[in-house]
Amino acid sequence: MLKITALVENTSPNPDLFTESGLSLYIETADKRILFDTGVTGKIIDNAEKLNVSLDKIDLCVISHGHFDHTGGLINFLKLNAKAPVYMKPDARGAYFFKMGPVKKYIGIPPGVFTMFEDRIDYIDKKTEIAPGVTIITDIPQTRPLGKQNAKFFRKTENGLVKDLFSHELI
């Protein structure tokens, strides 16, 4: 059994659900409840209620990459759910920015996640089975050039801002 429910995305056929330019999926297997990403604002909590999904019963949380449109609701989720570990690549913790001309905006994971919930985060950097039949793949080959819109994404390093090559992604 596998059931996937979109808790938030940028469109919805249901006018009662909040939409945003982000993503959060509820994945249910025969014996695990998984939250994949948390959207931008934390509205996944409202949408989950409307969809009869109990976020407090989530067993595992997976973060696909370190941008706010997939992690902005993480603090709200972790406050609601006291048990689910959060899986992400170590690079997801980086300081990521959107830069266009003189405008620079932080787009990384909300910093409070790492001060309030560090003990709940499991960093993985290789293919890992996190539950029976549930495997996270971390080594995603870059086979195509990044799109034009990705030229505006950067990561802060000790040498300043460098292009974000999305090495922090997993599936």
Side-chain angles (χ1 to χ4, degrees):
M1 174 200 130
L2 179 68
K3 179 182 176 184
I4 301 174
T5 303
L7 295 180
V8 74
E9 61 173 323
N10 61 350
T11 64
S12 175
N14 183 340
D16 293 332
L17 296 178
F18 179 81
T19 61
E20 62 188 12
S21 295
L23 180 70
S24 179
L25 303 173
Y26 169 69
I27 303 168
E28 190 173 349
T29 69
D31 60 348
K32 292 293 178 191
R33 292 170 297 266
I34 303 163
L35 183 64
F36 186 84
D37 289 343
T38 63
V40 178
T41 62
K43 288 291 188 177
I44 60 166
I45 293 171
D46 297 334
N47 283 357
E49 270 186 37
K50 292 174 184 172
L51 294 167
N52 295 315
V53 172
S54 299
L55 292 179
D56 60 326
K57 292 184 169 53
I58 295 288
D59 300 302
L60 312 163
C61 179
V62 177
I63 297 299
S64 66
H65 66 285
H67 289 173
F68 79 101
D69 56 335
H70 294 256
T71 63
L74 190 53
I75 290 175
N76 290 352
F77 166 71
L78 290 169
K79 287 179 178 178
L80 178 70
N81 179 300
K83 64 176 181 145
V86 177
Y87 296 93
M88 67 177 72
K89 285 186 75 172
D91 283 354
R93 189 178 177 143
Y96 295 96
F97 292 86
F98 174 85
K99 185 175 183 299
M100 192 164 69
V103 176
K104 179 174 81 172
K105 179 182 177 187
Y106 177 79
I107 60 165
I109 294 175
V113 167
F114 303 111
T115 55
M116 295 188 292
F117 299 104
E118 182 66 32
D119 61 323
R120 304 264 308 271
I121 299 173
D122 287 328
Y123 298 103
I124 58 170
D125 57 6
K126 63 183 179 189
K127 183 177 173 182
T128 303
E129 186 175 58
I130 59 172
V134 179
T135 299
I136 294 176
I137 299 169
T138 58
D139 299 323
I140 304 169
Q142 185 70 37
T143 58
R144 297 184 201 176
L146 294 173
K148 287 182 182 182
Q149 70 275 15
N150 291 351
K152 299 173 185 162
F153 294 113
F154 294 86
R155 177 179 184 167
K156 184 177 181 183
T157 69
E158 58 190 34
N159 298 321
L161 292 181
V162 298
K163 284 191 178 187
D164 181 358
L165 299 177
F166 292 84
S167 63
H168 48 110
E169 284 193 327
L170 56 75
I171 53 172

